[in-house]
Amino acid sequence: MLAMKKFVLLAIAASSASAFAFSPRASVNSAAKTLSVPAVTQFPAKTSSSTSMALSATGGAVAEEESGSDLGETLKVGSYFALWYLFNIGYNIYNKQALNALAFPWTIATIQMATGILYFAPLWALGLRKAPKLSMADLKTLLPIALCHTGVHVGAVIALGAGAVSFAHIVKASEPVVTCAANAALLGEVLPLKVYATLLPIIGGVAIASMKELSFTFLALASAMLSNVSSSLRGVLSKKTMSGKQIGENLDAQNLYAVLTAMSTLILIPMMLAVEGTGFIPAFKAAVEAGSFTNKSLSTLLLLGGATYYLYNEVAFLALGKVNPVTHAVGNTIKRVVIIVASVVAFKTPMSTGSIIGSSIAIFGTLLYSLAMNSVKK
């Protein structure tokens, strides 16, 4: 109950600090700057006059908006980053606890995705956020991206269930390697040598960490890579299908993420039933009968996992929409380190010296990659 109260207070704080996120302030037809979201990939779309969206294939979020330099603005940005990190840590811990109790990653991934609907649907219904208007043609355009979005999430959940949280995030750090390969193969995009050079420490670091990982499993490695590949393909598909197009009305960055969440939920339900059937229900009852949980506590754990998953993405818009690309790159790198450290502490996960060295090299490589990519775009 105490955890639930803390979560509710954090959610209220995030919502009250982000009023502009719930009421798009301008027409969808206006041109603008660039925004992206942490767990989402490149979605070029015409959005509000303050932002034009492109969700990065590296899982990071970039945005540029005018911001004041006074103390109040600094405190606001700091609070956004704190909530982003806090919700992200909460999600990884709640998610792992749920997976430890119930070995049904497809069902848990579906519950988490569906929980987001409980967040944005009331905002649309109450007029706190303008609801998007999409045609069937728009939905067909978004379907391949939603499929990849589904792969990103379910791959990550399976990886977190099959191995340590820290190992899953170490492998996820190799996403830039997959992104560069996908862009080169499918878009013919060739980057400067300095960008490709930053991939070497990522590859080497992940290889070292994998060899020395005490909780290594091939399922965790393969699932995390599935998430990486899905994220990279999501970026490629977004560039090919959405670049220069106007998709529906009121489809700003946050509404696009909401629409993809709804579509991914519909995609996941039949897949969940095909892979795991209804075994989740008797497993839930068995966990309660074992005395480790009550119906209420286990249900709350599942809902907290879904709520923190959606909210950390929502708050990320606010945190990363206030900083420049270099600050974003550093913030994203620190976020991954914080999650790994928090998971190691929370679950008392042992890490070998080789795993620590490998993960450090890989994460430092992702920082170099982000900085190199930002310098190329200037």
Side-chain angles (χ1 to χ4, degrees):
M1 178 61 73
L2 182 59
M4 185 62 176
K5 288 180 178 178
K6 289 181 179 179
F7 168 76
V8 171
L9 289 173
L10 287 171
I12 293 172
S15 300
S16 61
S18 58
F20 81 86
F22 304 142
S23 51
R25 295 164 291 177
S27 156
V28 243
N29 296 324
S30 308
K33 301 182 182 177
T34 303
L35 174 69
S36 75
V37 181
V40 202
T41 301
Q42 291 187 347
F43 302 129
K46 293 183 180 179
T47 58
S48 72
S49 60
S50 59
T51 55
S52 159
M53 190 169 67
L55 300 169
S56 77
T58 56
V62 181
E64 295 178 17
E65 288 188 358
E66 292 183 5
S67 59
S69 58
D70 57 10
L71 179 60
E73 186 68 20
T74 301
L75 292 174
K76 182 187 294 185
V77 173
S79 67
Y80 290 163
F81 268 84
L83 287 171
W84 176 39
Y85 284 16
L86 192 59
F87 284 137
N88 211 320
I89 292 169
Y91 164 67
N92 280 275
I93 292 176
Y94 291 137
N95 188 28
K96 183 62 176 178
Q97 288 176 336
L99 290 165
N100 286 343
L102 301 163
F104 289 84
W106 285 85
T107 304
I108 289 175
T110 304
I111 292 171
Q112 291 173 350
M113 193 69 76
T115 302
I117 298 174
L118 301 178
Y119 176 76
F120 60 77
L123 295 177
W124 289 346
L126 296 174
L128 297 175
R129 177 186 294 178
K130 291 182 181 179
K133 298 177 182 179
L134 301 170
S135 65
M136 284 303 298
D138 294 331
L139 293 175
K140 287 180 181 179
T141 299
L142 293 174
L143 180 59
I145 301 169
L147 286 168
C148 292
H149 183 61
T150 304
V152 173
H153 183 54
V154 77
V157 172
I158 294 173
L160 290 169
V165 174
S166 55
F167 179 64
H169 280 279
I170 293 168
V171 178
K172 285 286 290 175
S174 67
E175 187 176 322
V177 179
V178 183
T179 298
C180 286
N183 285 341
L186 301 177
L187 296 178
E189 180 180 274
V190 179
L191 297 169
L193 182 59
K194 66 178 181 180
V195 175
Y196 292 125
T198 64
L199 301 180
L200 296 177
I202 299 176
I203 296 170
V206 171
I208 293 172
S210 298
M211 289 188 294
K212 300 298 181 179
E213 174 61 40
L214 300 177
S215 61
F216 176 85
T217 67
F218 282 106
L219 179 58
L221 175 63
S223 300
M225 288 307 299
L226 168 64
S227 182
N228 286 345
V229 171
S230 297
S231 183
S232 298
L233 290 178
R234 184 175 57 185
V236 172
L237 288 172
S238 299
K239 288 180 183 179
K240 294 188 71 171
T241 61
M242 294 178 64
S243 182
K245 291 184 180 179
Q246 179 182 329
I247 308 296
E249 297 179 28
N250 302 327
L251 199 65
D252 62 3
Q254 289 148 314
N255 272 348
L256 177 55
Y257 185 67
V259 169
L260 290 176
T261 295
M263 294 178 71
S264 291
T265 300
L266 295 177
I267 293 168
L268 273 170
I269 290 173
M271 295 177 72
M272 169 198 74
L273 293 173
V275 175
E276 296 177 346
T278 57
F280 177 84
I281 298 174
F284 185 100
K285 293 179 180 178
V288 172
E289 291 172 358
S292 301
F293 297 92
T294 63
N295 281 316
K296 183 178 180 180
S297 65
L298 190 51
S299 298
T300 299
L301 179 62
L302 293 169
L303 288 175
L304 284 173
T308 49
Y309 168 71
Y310 195 87
L311 283 172
Y312 91 70
N313 285 291
E314 186 80 15
V315 176
F317 281 109
L318 308 176
L320 301 177
K322 294 289 186 179
V323 298
N324 60 47
V326 174
T327 303
H328 148 251
V330 175
N332 223 22
T333 302
I334 294 174
K335 180 205 73 174
R336 197 173 296 281
V337 174
V338 168
I339 291 172
I340 291 175
V341 172
S343 66
V344 168
V345 172
F347 298 105
K348 297 179 173 62
T349 306
M351 289 184 72
S352 67
T353 302
S355 181
I356 294 173
I357 293 174
S359 60
S360 300
I361 294 172
I363 292 171
F364 182 64
T366 62
L367 174 61
L368 294 179
Y369 169 81
S370 298
L371 296 176
M373 285 295 292
N374 285 329
S375 69
V376 169
K377 292 174 183 177
K378 288 180 180 178

